[in-house]
Amino acid sequence: MRGILLGVILLLSTGLARADETMTADDARRAALSGEVTLVDIRTPEEWAETGVPDVAHALNMKSDGFVRDLLTLYNQHPERPLAVICATGGRSGYVTEVLAQRGMTRIVNVPEGMFGAGGEPGWLARSLPVRTPEAPRTSN
């Protein structure tokens, strides 16, 4: 996993947003719909099958061999947009954003409540925000 993250760090180290920036699930959805951020769900396909994927998110399995390539592709499609990262409960997204921030990347936003809620926040599912199956097209602006 460190190799994947190091690759991302080396290739995406430009900045707009602060590295320690966070968003609630509601705010992340609104920002993704308006084109202010690119939302990425970094959970596994098994997790996506259980809960669905946020309707506005790109589903990128952070454990896959193609994670760095796919993340770079998303980033390069809209380099002016920070990447917002969501997982189940903020653990993995927090880890990813922390590692990237330590390496100087500032165009990354954490959605720490995740899909299930954390830190006193309800999360994507409890907020009844829309989800889609992993195979369904993503809602976009």
Side-chain angles (χ1 to χ4, degrees):
M1 175 153 13
R2 287 182 184 262
I4 290 171
L5 291 177
L6 184 56
V8 172
I9 293 161
L10 293 173
L11 295 169
L12 293 180
S13 58
T14 62
L16 278 184
R18 289 180 21 210
D20 61 348
E21 188 172 345
T22 63
M23 291 183 155
T24 65
D26 276 327
D27 290 341
R29 183 169 191 276
R30 277 192 291 276
L33 281 171
S34 69
E36 295 172 48
V37 302
T38 299
L39 183 62
V40 182
D41 183 342
I42 62 171
R43 297 176 303 144
T44 65
E46 296 79 19
E47 291 173 293
W48 301 328
E50 279 184 30
T51 65
V53 175
D55 66 328
V56 293
H58 297 271
L60 294 182
N61 176 3
M62 74 178 285
K63 296 181 181 180
S64 75
D65 290 337
F67 179 70
V68 171
R69 178 196 66 234
D70 295 342
L71 192 62
L72 289 173
T73 298
L74 280 178
Y75 177 80
N76 288 325
Q77 287 173 354
H78 299 284
E80 73 284 0
R81 296 182 191 172
L83 294 174
V85 182
I86 190 169
C87 66
T89 60
R92 287 170 283 181
S93 63
Y95 173 76
V96 167
T97 57
E98 182 179 318
V99 169
L100 294 173
Q102 289 172 357
R103 302 300 190 277
M105 185 174 169
T106 56
R107 295 183 60 109
I108 194 86
V109 178
N110 186 16
V111 183
E113 66 189 67
M115 294 297 287
F116 294 106
E121 296 292 337
W124 194 280
L125 297 172
R127 290 178 186 272
S128 299
L129 296 172
V131 295
R132 62 179 172 79
T133 62
E135 301 80 26
R138 181 181 55 83
T139 302
S140 62
N141 58 346

